[in-house]
Amino acid sequence: MSKTKNKISPPPNLEDTYVDDNNKSRKKNLSEERQENTSNVRNTLQNIHQELKTNPVYSILFGGIIILMSIFTLIAFVSFFFTWQEDFDKVTAPLSVLFAYDTEIQNWLGKAGAILSHIFIYRFYGVGSFVIPIALAQWGIKKIKLQHTSFNLLIHSFFWMIWISMTMSFFLNEKFPFAGGNYGEIMNNTFINYIGKWGLLSTLLVAIVIYFIICPEYIAWVKHILVFKYDRSSQEEKFINDFNDPNSTASNSISQTETTETSSSKEDVVITEESVANNEISLEVSASIDETKNEKHQNEPIFTIEQALSETDKTKEEDPPHDDTNHEETADANAMAEQLVKEKGEFNPLSELSDYIYPGLDLLNDYGSGIGKINQEELLQNKDKIIKTLRNYGIEIQEIKATIGPTVTLYEIVPAPGVRIARIKNLEDDIALSLAALGIRIIAPMPGKGTIGIEVPNQHPEVVSVKNVLSSEKFQNTNFELPIVLGKTISNDVLIVELAKMPHLLMAGATGQGKSVGINTLIISLLYKKHPAELKFVLVDPKKVELTLYNKIERHFLAKLPNSEDAIITDTKKVIHTLNSLTIEMDNRYALLQDAQVRNIKEYNSKFIKRRLNPNDGHRYLPYIIVIIDEFADLIMTAGKEIEGPIARIAQLARAVGIHLVIATQRPSVNIITGVIKANFPARIAFKVSSKIDSRTILDTGGAEQLIGRGDMLYNAGSDLIRLQCAFVDTPEVEKVAEFIGIQRGYPSAFLLPEYEDENDENSTNYIDLSDRDKLFEEAARLVVQFQQGSASFLQRKLKIGFNRAGRLIDELEKAGIVGKFEGSKQRDVLVKDMQQLEALIQKLNNQ
């Protein structure tokens, strides 16, 4: 037997093992640090990219840099034609010679300009290189205007560079070798070798023809450049558009029916289509141009149609009886409007701010999916507790199912036959005790279902972000005139309501329960859907801190009194004046609707867009006006009936003319929300309140006292109550949206409401000097006495003047004793009853 010796390995070196483990740990830590640093750098770059993308200041700054590059390139290219001979040898020399300190370059922009112009003009595209500064300038202007830059700009630029280069080389290569550049010469020689000179010429012509066929908008752009237009800033040189052209078809058809009789005191209305969306008009009178320059943006229309029917004597301006002549004139006006639509297209109320960009969803934050999250264990526990509690009182159920919402879960139960619903409803507090939860609400029975609903708050409620609901397909595809997104229902459906059909909204709730967030959500949802020409806000903020964020959009979306400095109304006296001014605006709009023979603002604007209404008769495009009053209780306490009166009038009548009220208060008591207000506010929103009495004051039923707060609300549209979680929008998000809109080009001022004169101000006309009367004073006085109507809107229509001037004429007539004092929204009394008395009064004034 042979003995085998087993080799015994030496014991491991513990120090080496410790060093290896230490190295591995260090490498692992270094790897984790690298990954963490890489992640931090990536997040930083993403944040920078997001900031550059959303902040319009960076876009404007980048656009300015591009325009400077365009100017630099243009100067360098122009300089090349004067200095290329002196710089040619130096530019083609080695770079060490070119960039030597003692090398002199004649190009106006030095060595950089010489190299740039030599490369592009001499070596590449010749004269075609001038497309580069033009394209850069266009890109920069789009960036400054916050407009999207299409990739088509690059494609168009390359086409024009190549086409101009080859064309210039074909015609001017012998006289000017660099006219088409080396590139143009090489391409021409290649084509000539294959298809000859005539083939190359045909190719160039076919290329430009195909280009204009594919891109017809460039032909329209060229026509637009060639059309002569008067300067918009000159108040003395404006004219009406195509109807003043004697060659126009519509103008010729109208001229056959026009009368030659005109009035010596008649004013020429100067109209521009771009100003219609801003309700702006300019009036030109030969003797008082300086005065009329100040009458801008006074709810006076601007249009592109001349008087469709000939004017008759002023004594015949009363509404004539309906006879065959009227029908024929209406048919003629409609035919002429159709002719104008064929020539010019329908009127576009958005034309003045055609470059307006709607705010994007990237300005808003995402706080979650808005879909309720509840685990199965919590769901089963609540179910068992509900069943156990009902069995303790002898109530059996056949079926129970749950619907999970963002903040509340709805348990629907089907009681056993013979169980009275009232027994289950009386156990509301007992079920809340067994579930150890606040905000239990029992709906017995569920509307339209054979079940009883028990709403139980979730232990971990989910925030419904306004970004989530605005990005929903339901909101994006809505056809509502004034869509308002309220939030999400228990079934996680986005609820969108139509403010135009409500037509007014009442919001109430205790302090800190979500009213201000609800108002911001309402405003933001409208800002994301409507153009500034279509919508105006009147914001009333007695607390002076809630709505001041919207000051930045004053020239886009806000409305105010003519003499008011701030668009956000905080003073109670100004609130009274503004509400009374809105009643005047309401009456004026009803007069326009009556004259247009339509029933509501939608039909009126549709008729105006189709050019069937003449602006010379006072017609204009009417934007919707939404009046938002925060903390209504404070106004009622300080002003009382002075506030409630005009609000009641607006609530009763203003729906058809596009004026809508949104009122919020934290004190829903009966002396604040009176019966008159409740009767005209069928749509109501209740956040959490302190007592069942307050809930009944708002909703005419209980339930609001059982809400859990933080945006949990009940919406009552006149029939059923809907429990919602209000969409949340934070203050920084509102600031971003307001800044994004405010930085864009807006109207010259806010939308101006009609002037209002306080009836308690007895000395309001003392400043008027009748020795310096308006030139239209006598004509206005005769119209007022003849028709026995004394209002500014009446003079505005008859004399075709702006509202400010009509208001001054009314003040002068009051001072002269022809009309009575102001009586709110009613027409003034006419104190002079016949023309003889008026002529004696005028003669007396002239002799003074």
Side-chain angles (χ1 to χ4, degrees):
M1 293 178 64
S2 62
K3 294 182 180 179
T4 305
K5 295 182 179 181
N6 296 326
K7 295 182 179 180
I8 301 174
S9 59
N13 191 339
L14 296 178
E15 184 177 355
D16 293 342
T17 304
Y18 174 76
V19 171
D20 291 341
D21 292 341
N22 197 15
N23 289 336
K24 290 179 181 178
S25 176
R26 189 179 301 144
K27 289 180 180 178
K28 184 177 180 181
N29 291 336
L30 289 173
S31 176
E32 291 178 353
E33 287 181 4
R34 289 195 192 98
Q35 292 179 358
E36 185 177 358
N37 292 336
T38 304
S39 177
N40 291 335
V41 171
R42 186 183 299 110
N43 292 334
T44 303
L45 292 176
Q46 289 178 352
N47 292 335
I48 294 174
H49 174 71
Q50 185 69 16
E51 181 68 18
L52 292 175
K53 183 179 178 182
T54 57
N55 196 333
V57 176
Y58 295 114
S59 178
I60 295 174
L61 182 62
F62 183 58
I65 294 173
I66 295 174
I67 290 179
L68 290 178
M69 292 171 57
S70 169
I71 296 173
F72 183 91
T73 308
L74 179 63
I75 295 174
F77 288 176
V78 173
S79 175
F80 176 84
F81 291 93
F82 299 96
T83 62
W84 71 275
Q85 293 179 345
E86 293 84 351
D87 296 340
F88 185 81
D89 294 336
K90 301 168 186 176
V91 174
T92 55
L95 294 179
S96 58
V97 176
L98 173 63
F99 287 100
Y101 182 77
D102 56 348
T103 302
E104 294 184 0
I105 296 295
Q106 300 301 318
N107 191 284
W108 299 341
L109 293 180
K111 296 175 182 179
I115 294 174
L116 188 69
S117 59
H118 178 79
I119 290 174
F120 281 100
I121 295 181
Y122 182 79
R123 292 189 178 180
F124 282 97
Y125 306 109
V127 178
S129 300
F130 279 91
V131 174
I132 295 174
I134 296 174
L136 287 175
Q138 187 177 359
W139 185 19
I141 291 172
K142 284 182 175 290
K143 281 292 181 184
I144 290 177
K145 290 184 176 181
L146 305 178
Q147 295 178 353
H148 175 68
T149 306
S150 174
F151 183 73
N152 293 336
L153 178 63
L154 183 63
I155 298 175
H156 291 305
S157 301
F158 269 114
F159 171 82
W160 281 110
M161 281 194 297
I162 295 173
W163 189 85
I164 293 174
S165 173
M166 294 181 66
T167 304
M168 297 298 289
S169 179
F170 182 82
F171 289 104
L172 303 176
N173 191 37
E174 296 181 358
K175 294 183 179 180
F176 304 101
F178 53 79
N182 287 344
Y183 176 84
E185 185 178 358
I186 293 171
M187 290 296 295
N188 280 6
N189 292 336
T190 303
F191 274 91
I192 290 173
N193 287 336
Y194 284 98
I195 60 177
K197 286 189 175 182
W198 288 106
L200 174 59
L201 180 61
S202 302
T203 302
L204 293 173
L205 293 175
V206 170
I208 194 65
V209 170
I210 294 176
Y211 176 82
F212 281 117
I213 292 175
I214 297 176
C215 306
E217 64 271 12
Y218 279 87
I219 299 178
W221 179 72
V222 172
K223 289 182 179 179
H224 179 74
I225 294 298
L226 295 178
V227 171
F228 177 77
K229 289 187 176 181
Y230 287 92
D231 185 7
R232 288 180 57 190
S233 63
S234 174
Q235 296 293 332
E236 294 85 5
E237 297 294 335
K238 292 183 179 178
F239 288 89
I240 303 177
N241 51 19
D242 284 355
F243 275 94
N244 283 346
D245 183 5
N247 297 323
S248 172
T249 306
S251 178
N252 291 334
S253 62
I254 291 177
S255 62
Q256 295 175 2
T257 60
E258 286 184 337
T259 62
T260 58
E261 183 177 353
T262 57
S263 176
S264 59
S265 61
K266 182 180 176 182
E267 296 178 285
D268 297 326
V269 181
V270 184
I271 299 174
T272 57
E273 180 173 354
E274 291 80 7
S275 304
V276 180
N278 200 23
N279 294 331
E280 179 180 329
I281 191 165
S282 303
L283 298 177
E284 179 183 88
V285 183
S286 57
S288 56
I289 292 176
D290 293 335
E291 178 184 355
T292 57
K293 283 183 179 179
N294 296 324
E295 296 186 16
K296 289 186 177 180
H297 201 54
Q298 295 297 324
N299 300 329
E300 188 67 31
I302 293 93
F303 205 62
T304 56
I305 183 172
E306 198 162 342
Q307 263 186 317
L309 299 174
S310 59
E311 291 188 356
T312 58
D313 293 337
K314 293 186 176 180
T315 56
K316 298 180 181 179
E317 285 188 348
E318 288 182 289
D319 295 335
H322 296 283
D323 53 10
D324 296 338
T325 306
N326 257 350
H327 292 298
E328 292 176 1
E329 291 178 349
T330 303
D332 292 341
N334 292 338
M336 283 179 272
E338 293 176 358
Q339 180 65 31
L340 181 59
V341 169
K342 290 180 181 178
E343 293 183 0
K344 292 285 293 181
E346 292 186 346
F347 169 72
N348 180 17
L350 318 182
S351 59
E352 187 168 358
L353 292 186
S354 58
D355 55 349
Y356 173 77
I357 302 175
Y358 291 85
L361 293 174
D362 51 358
L363 300 173
L364 305 174
N365 298 331
D366 194 354
Y367 298 98
S369 62
I371 300 176
K373 295 179 181 178
I374 183 171
N375 55 41
Q376 192 71 16
E377 183 180 355
E378 179 183 349
L379 206 63
L380 293 175
Q381 285 180 358
N382 290 340
K383 171 186 172 183
D384 294 338
K385 289 178 180 178
I386 291 172
I387 294 175
K388 182 178 179 182
T389 303
L390 294 176
R391 283 179 178 172
N392 290 339
Y393 292 93
I395 299 174
E396 294 291 335
I397 61 174
Q398 292 181 338
E399 182 184 353
I400 182 170
K401 62 180 180 178
T403 303
I404 304 173
T407 56
V408 175
T409 299
L410 173 65
Y411 296 89
E412 295 184 59
I413 62 174
V414 179
V419 176
R420 297 180 61 186
I421 294 177
R423 292 183 60 193
I424 300 177
K425 201 166 186 178
N426 292 333
L427 297 176
E428 190 170 336
D429 295 335
D430 299 283
I431 296 175
L433 179 64
S434 65
L435 295 175
L438 296 174
I440 298 293
R441 195 170 74 100
I442 295 181
I443 309 170
M446 292 284 292
K449 300 181 180 179
T451 60
I452 297 173
I454 302 176
E455 295 175 346
V456 181
N458 299 336
Q459 292 182 2
H460 305 286
E462 185 75 10
V463 177
V464 178
S465 65
V466 72
K467 180 178 182 179
N468 182 266
V469 293
L470 292 183
S471 60
S472 64
E473 184 178 354
K474 189 175 182 180
F475 181 78
Q476 296 293 330
N477 298 331
T478 181
N479 294 322
F480 289 165
E481 287 291 320
L482 297 174
I484 296 176
V485 57
L486 296 181
K488 284 192 174 182
T489 63
I490 292 178
S491 58
N492 286 302
D493 293 329
V494 177
L495 181 64
I496 301 173
V497 295
E498 169 68 292
L499 181 59
K501 294 182 179 179
M502 283 185 178
H504 311 291
L505 178 63
L506 176 63
M507 303 173 66
T511 303
Q513 302 305 319
K515 292 190 309 299
S516 297
V517 173
I519 290 175
N520 286 331
T521 301
L522 181 148
I523 296 175
I524 290 295
S525 59
L526 290 171
L527 292 180
Y528 269 77
K529 267 295 184 183
K530 306 304 289 184
H531 189 276
E534 301 172 313
L535 177 66
K536 302 297 176 184
F537 289 101
V538 175
L539 302 181
V540 178
D541 183 17
K543 290 191 286 188
K544 304 180 181 179
V545 294
E546 294 293 344
L547 301 177
T548 53
L549 298 172
Y550 300 101
N551 267 323
K552 297 177 181 177
I553 62 173
E554 175 181 339
R555 295 184 299 109
H556 299 80
F557 283 100
L558 300 189
K560 65 178 183 179
L561 292 173
N563 299 323
S564 178
E565 295 181 359
D566 298 326
I568 310 296
I569 307 165
T570 57
D571 182 64
T572 304
K573 197 70 174 177
K574 290 185 178 179
V575 175
I576 298 172
H577 290 179
T578 302
L579 292 175
N580 282 284
S581 175
L582 284 167
T583 61
I584 298 173
E585 173 70 14
M586 177 184 70
D587 292 337
N588 293 341
R589 289 189 173 200
Y590 266 115
L592 293 176
L593 263 63
Q594 181 184 13
D595 188 43
Q597 298 180 359
V598 293
R599 296 181 299 172
N600 54 56
I601 186 175
K602 187 174 182 180
E603 295 177 4
Y604 178 88
N605 284 339
S606 175
K607 203 169 183 179
F608 188 86
I609 289 174
K610 294 178 180 178
R611 303 184 186 271
R612 296 184 180 274
L613 298 176
N614 194 336
N616 294 336
D617 295 334
H619 293 290
R620 63 186 187 272
Y621 184 83
L622 301 179
Y624 286 93
I625 298 178
I626 299 179
V627 186
I628 298 178
I629 302 177
D630 190 17
E631 200 42 65
F632 181 65
D634 182 72
L635 297 178
I636 290 294
M637 290 176 62
T638 55
K641 296 295 182 180
E642 292 182 279
I643 292 288
E644 188 177 354
I647 283 182
R649 283 206 71 220
I650 294 172
Q652 290 168 354
L653 301 174
R655 170 183 180 176
V657 292
I659 301 177
H660 304 278
L661 291 170
V662 177
I663 294 178
T665 180
Q666 64 180 5
R667 290 185 55 197
S669 55
V670 291
N671 61 328
I672 303 298
I673 304 176
T674 62
V676 176
I677 292 177
K678 287 178 63 176
N680 295 286
F681 284 78
R684 304 168 197 168
I685 290 176
F687 294 89
K688 181 176 175 59
V689 294
S690 57
S691 66
K692 185 175 290 187
I693 296 176
D694 291 341
S695 176
R696 287 174 176 169
T697 303
I698 308 167
L699 303 173
D700 295 327
T701 184
E705 78 281 358
Q706 298 169 325
L707 300 175
I708 61 176
R710 298 180 62 84
D712 191 17
M713 67 182 190
L714 291 174
Y715 170 67
N716 182 6
S719 55
D720 301 329
L721 283 179
I722 302 175
R723 190 166 184 174
L724 296 163
Q725 178 61 36
C726 181
F728 176 73
V729 56
D730 204 0
T731 301
E733 299 174 77
V734 177
E735 290 179 345
K736 286 182 183 179
V737 174
E739 184 179 359
F740 180 84
I741 296 174
I743 203 172
Q744 300 186 54
R745 182 174 66 89
Y747 297 115
S749 66
F751 182 86
L752 298 183
L753 299 172
E755 289 183 346
Y756 170 76
E757 182 181 356
D758 194 349
E759 60 181 348
N760 297 323
D761 189 2
E762 297 180 356
N763 300 320
S764 59
T765 60
N766 287 346
Y767 69 94
I768 297 175
D769 184 9
L770 290 180
S771 62
D772 186 22
R773 301 188 299 274
D774 193 287
K775 291 184 177 296
L776 295 177
F777 174 82
E778 296 183 9
E779 184 178 0
R782 292 186 179 95
L783 283 172
V784 168
V785 174
Q786 178 184 352
F787 294 97
Q788 290 294 300
Q789 294 183 25
S791 67
S793 59
F794 171 76
L795 294 181
Q796 185 183 358
R797 292 196 306 273
K798 293 298 183 181
L799 298 177
K800 301 177 180 61
I801 58 177
F803 194 90
N804 277 351
R805 191 175 185 186
R808 288 197 299 271
L809 283 169
I810 287 292
D811 291 340
E812 292 177 0
L813 293 174
E814 179 186 351
K815 183 74 174 180
I818 298 174
V819 297
K821 292 185 177 181
F822 183 79
E823 297 180 4
S825 59
K826 297 181 181 179
Q827 291 187 352
R828 298 171 185 255
D829 292 331
V830 181
L831 304 179
V832 178
K833 300 302 181 182
D834 55 49
M835 298 300 292
Q836 293 180 352
Q837 184 181 356
L838 175 64
E839 294 299 331
L841 181 59
I842 293 176
Q843 186 177 2
K844 181 180 178 181
L845 291 174
N846 292 334
N847 294 332
Q848 289 180 355

